[in-house]
Amino acid sequence: MEESRGELATLTTDRLVLRAPQESDIDAIFAACQDEEIQRWTVVPVPYRREDAEFFVRTLAPEGLGKDSEFIWCVVERDTGRLVGAQAVIRFAADPSAASVGWWTVKEQRGRGYTVEAARAVARWALTGLGLRRLQWLAYVGNDGSRAVAERVGYRYEGTLRSYADQRGVFQDSWVASLLPSDLD
């Protein structure tokens, strides 16, 4: 059932297109990642430079896809093509039948349900198209926006991991939740 190897599936929803990052996304990614909330809750470099956006598009996304280990989408509005955010599925090296998920949303696009819509599409693709047995959502304690998205998608909260996730050299307490194929509606 597994699909992948070299080309990222384009996913569409009612309002969104999820596709591989493109050169034309670099300026929008750079602008989005200036947001203090994205910097606070993710592992993007701080300060975030244009070179970081170039690396994300030109190196990180294609190399991860080429190794069949990281699947990164830019999420854009269907009607306008405007960047909404990014979504990722990253397989665990020790167990490639499971993966972590992550997302960020452009500040001006928050509160519209776009991230939930995109995360549902990604979860369905990962659990059915890629054939994973488990998706894991992890967020630093206090990231209530990400937790609300995970809950709306159907991730089941499993607990708090103390001093767990490294963020620029500091280990943060982290919430963890999972989604299994049997959880899909």
Side-chain angles (χ1 to χ4, degrees):
M1 177 82 133
E2 188 173 310
E3 68 174 54
S4 175
R5 289 283 177 211
E7 190 168 326
L8 186 66
T10 298
L11 309 176
T12 57
T13 69
D14 289 343
R15 302 179 297 164
L16 305 170
V17 174
L18 289 74
R19 55 160 176 73
Q22 302 170 354
E23 285 285 321
S24 59
D25 297 318
I26 289 172
D27 288 337
I29 292 168
F30 170 66
C33 290
Q34 300 308 305
D35 178 31
E36 291 178 5
E37 289 299 298
I38 289 176
Q39 293 179 5
R40 178 180 180 190
W41 299 117
T42 71
V43 295
V44 299
V46 176
Y48 195 86
R49 301 165 301 142
R50 189 171 196 287
E51 294 80 22
D52 296 315
E54 291 168 354
F55 174 79
F56 179 78
V57 170
R58 296 176 183 159
T59 305
L60 184 69
E63 284 184 2
L65 185 61
K67 294 176 185 171
D68 204 37
S69 62
E70 294 186 30
F71 309 91
I72 299 171
W73 292 266
C74 277
V75 181
V76 299
E77 291 176 319
R78 277 180 89 164
D79 295 341
T80 67
R82 187 174 25 237
L83 183 70
V84 168
Q87 296 265 334
V89 172
I90 303 169
R91 287 191 205 236
F92 295 128
D95 180 3
S97 72
S100 64
V101 296
W103 46 72
W104 56 257
T105 308
V106 174
K107 181 179 183 177
E108 296 78 18
Q109 301 288 8
R110 293 182 194 139
R112 299 178 183 187
Y114 285 154
T115 307
V116 171
E117 192 173 320
R120 281 186 180 134
V122 166
R124 184 163 301 283
W125 174 83
L127 293 171
T128 61
L130 201 53
L132 298 181
R133 67 172 179 79
R134 174 185 167 89
L135 287 177
Q136 180 173 291
W137 164 85
L138 192 77
Y140 306 128
V141 169
N143 189 346
D144 296 320
S146 186
R147 185 171 178 161
V149 169
E151 288 172 352
R152 287 189 58 201
V153 172
Y155 283 83
R156 295 188 185 181
Y157 182 72
E158 295 177 335
T160 301
L161 304 171
R162 297 177 342 154
S163 188
Y164 184 77
D166 179 25
Q167 184 188 39
R168 295 182 282 279
V170 177
F171 284 90
Q172 306 285 341
D173 292 352
S174 302
W175 290 321
V176 63
S178 68
L179 189 70
L180 306 179
S182 59
D183 296 329
L184 295 175
D185 43 29

